[in-house]
Amino acid sequence: MRYGGIEAGGTKWVCAIADGPGRLGQTDTFPTTQPGPTVSRAARFFIENGPVDVLGVGAFGPVDIRRGSPTWGTITTTPKPGWTDTDVVSALRSELGVEVVLDTDVNAAALGEWRWGAATGLDTFFYITVGTGIGGGAIVNGQILHGLLHPEFGHMRVPHDRQRDPFDGICPYHGDCLEGLASGEAIRQRWGHAGQTLDDAAVWELEAEYLALALVNLACTVSPERIVVGGGVAKQPALLPLARRRFRELLAGYLRVPELTEPDAIERYLVPPRLGDRAGVIGALELARDAAHE
């Protein structure tokens, strides 16, 4: 069998065909524009480089992943203009005529890191991405975490000290949720420049504060054995070390386990993705591989 995978992100789509478990064959990366042209370009890639028997898709959300739902396969209340209520699965099936398996892009990245990356051998861990937006996916007890819908890590509420940071936030639904305060787009709107152009310590200390607050919430609720922190904003060299230090301060010794208290433990607990930018598309291929072997 041949497997296809799509990391259908809000900024870019990455398409790939499996060249073996955990390995990429042919790939293509292109910007996320409007739904019709974006889906058609993805379909063209698989027509030209395929065929594939099963296609796995990890899509930005929120997305309806409930099998049997009348809107299954649809990106629903996304803040991304033009994509609300886009039925991604039906469009791809119509163009390619193959089985399509769907999850969120961050759940797909979590699956990729669990199988082949920084979370191999763990039972429960969380993957977050801090980029243009913020998202999170999880493996819990060896299974991708689903529930009422799927994790929406970026829209948790975190303390907002308006004296330190009077910025209102950018989320059209919640204003100053985590994504509204700490995403790449929030950085750009607050400071007037994209994060990769900013080296002011105040920028990254504030970003680390919001990230650490969210990570503490995660450690105290999901209780993951490790948290993998990916995304374009997270590549800023100062951010993860600052977030680790603040995470330790905020926990204040409450969770007394070796994974958090031994020397250098936090450096092994909050880690970058081993698969880098390939985590999402490798995870999408794993979704397809799992579906083919069910």
Side-chain angles (χ1 to χ4, degrees):
M1 275 194 147
R2 301 188 80 214
Y3 312 120
I6 301 175
E7 179 190 4
T11 302
K12 69 180 186 300
W13 280 34
V14 184
C15 300
I17 292 174
D19 191 27
R23 300 200 308 270
L24 300 181
Q26 300 98 321
T27 64
D28 188 24
T29 302
F30 49 89
T32 308
T33 57
Q34 291 302 302
T38 304
V39 171
S40 291
R41 179 162 178 178
R44 187 164 66 250
F45 168 82
F46 291 106
I47 291 169
E48 292 173 354
N49 295 283
V52 296
D53 298 292
V54 186
L55 178 64
V57 180
F60 69 94
V63 62
D64 189 347
I65 57 173
R66 302 167 298 165
R67 287 278 190 174
S69 165
T71 56
W72 174 72
T74 298
I75 294 171
T76 59
T77 52
T78 177
K80 187 169 180 63
W83 283 81
T84 300
D85 296 326
T86 296
D87 188 343
V88 173
V89 167
S90 292
L92 287 167
R93 281 196 304 203
S94 175
E95 296 226 32
L96 296 173
V98 299
E99 179 185 358
V100 179
V101 188
L102 178 72
D103 214 304
T104 66
D105 52 352
V106 279
N107 267 345
L111 181 61
E113 286 290 331
W114 185 57
R115 292 270 171 83
W116 306 106
T120 55
L122 300 180
D123 185 63
T124 296
F125 93 104
F126 213 93
Y127 175 96
I128 73 167
T129 181
V130 187
T132 305
I134 295 179
I139 301 292
V140 175
N141 297 327
Q143 300 290 329
I144 294 177
L145 178 60
H146 296 145
L148 182 66
L149 194 57
H150 52 73
E152 276 293 337
F153 175 78
H155 295 269
M156 72 165 62
R157 312 310 293 262
V158 292
H160 181 191
D161 181 348
R162 287 185 175 270
Q163 284 193 316
R164 179 182 183 184
D165 179 26
F167 183 65
D168 287 333
I170 64 161
C171 177
Y173 289 93
H174 313 120
D176 62 350
C177 60
L178 177 62
E179 181 171 288
L181 291 172
S183 63
E185 182 60 19
I187 291 172
R188 188 188 68 79
Q189 291 195 31
R190 178 191 287 107
W191 301 102
H193 299 279
Q196 60 264 35
T197 69
L198 298 167
D199 58 7
D200 186 338
V203 173
W204 299 108
E205 286 170 2
L206 182 63
E207 180 70 10
E209 178 75 11
Y210 289 132
L211 182 56
L213 285 164
L215 293 173
V216 167
N217 288 339
L218 192 56
C220 291
T221 52
V222 181
S223 197
E225 296 166 280
R226 185 170 297 148
I227 302 174
V228 179
V229 184
V233 172
K235 292 178 181 178
Q236 208 287 335
L239 180 57
L240 193 53
L242 286 169
R244 285 169 174 154
R245 185 184 69 192
R246 188 64 179 130
F247 176 81
R248 181 185 290 108
E249 293 170 351
L250 289 166
L251 274 179
Y254 180 66
L255 300 177
R256 194 178 298 172
V257 292
E259 290 82 359
L260 296 175
T261 57
E262 289 181 348
D264 301 323
I266 302 298
E267 286 71 18
R268 297 188 297 273
Y269 186 75
L270 301 177
V271 302
R274 191 178 299 164
L275 300 179
D277 293 337
R278 301 176 299 131
V281 72
I282 287 176
L285 289 165
E286 291 298 300
L287 289 172
R289 193 161 69 96
D290 286 353
H293 290 90
E294 284 180 350

